[in-house]
Amino acid sequence: MIKFKVLLTINAVLAAVSGIACMVMPDQLLAHYDVSLPPMGLVVYQFWGATLLGLGLLIWLFRDTSDHNLQWKISLSLFITNALCCVMAVRGQYAGANSRGWSMVILFGLFALIYGVLALMKPRKTPLNDEKPG
């Protein structure tokens, strides 16, 4: 199984780089998916980029945690986030998105699967966390 720190490092870098790209070059990214937006739509897409960058930074800052209860909470949160994004990506595909959109389904689905497996694992008790998850 992939190590928690490695998974979070990969996720953080992908999220941050994607977020920066969404903010800096939204037209070029959307053109890749044959999408064009009006000016306010581009602003909303740039908000999405800022959110992705923030999520990437947050994930990066928590990648070194050794608290197993906190790792479980992070895994559960990122499982839910990626599972919902995967569902939205699938909906987009069935609504008529081009074939490049399947890359988002695969990416979000893969992260959801890995985080889901981690979230199903019971946190180990350590001196740092004597409480139950939740």
Side-chain angles (χ1 to χ4, degrees):
M1 186 68 185
I2 190 167
K3 289 187 181 271
F4 184 79
K5 181 177 180 174
V6 172
L7 176 62
L8 262 63
T9 300
I10 293 167
N11 197 165
V13 169
L14 285 174
V17 168
S18 297
I20 291 168
C22 290
M23 289 186 299
V24 175
M25 47 190 236
D27 285 320
Q28 296 88 333
L29 288 178
L30 290 168
H32 182 70
Y33 298 99
D34 295 330
V35 173
S36 61
L37 294 175
M40 194 59 210
L42 290 174
V43 170
V44 171
Y45 191 70
Q46 290 171 313
F47 285 154
W48 159 250
T51 302
L52 267 179
L53 176 59
L55 181 62
L57 293 172
L58 189 63
I59 294 169
W60 180 265
L61 293 172
F62 279 96
R63 77 189 189 291
D64 288 324
T65 186
S66 58
D67 180 332
H68 295 287
N69 192 37
L70 183 56
Q71 288 180 354
W72 177 81
K73 290 176 182 180
I74 292 167
S75 297
L76 179 62
S77 298
L78 291 173
F79 161 70
I80 292 168
T81 300
N82 282 284
L84 290 172
C85 286
C86 184
V87 168
M88 295 303 113
V90 168
R91 286 184 65 207
Q93 286 308 111
Y94 286 107
N98 71 23
S99 61
R100 293 183 191 120
W102 286 109
S103 64
M104 294 291 100
V105 173
I106 292 167
L107 181 66
F108 287 123
L110 183 60
F111 275 116
L113 177 66
I114 296 169
Y115 283 121
V117 169
L118 290 176
L120 288 174
M121 300 168 99
K122 185 177 178 182
R124 295 179 290 198
K125 281 194 162 195
T126 67
L128 293 175
N129 74 22
D130 290 334
E131 61 193 20
K132 291 184 179 180

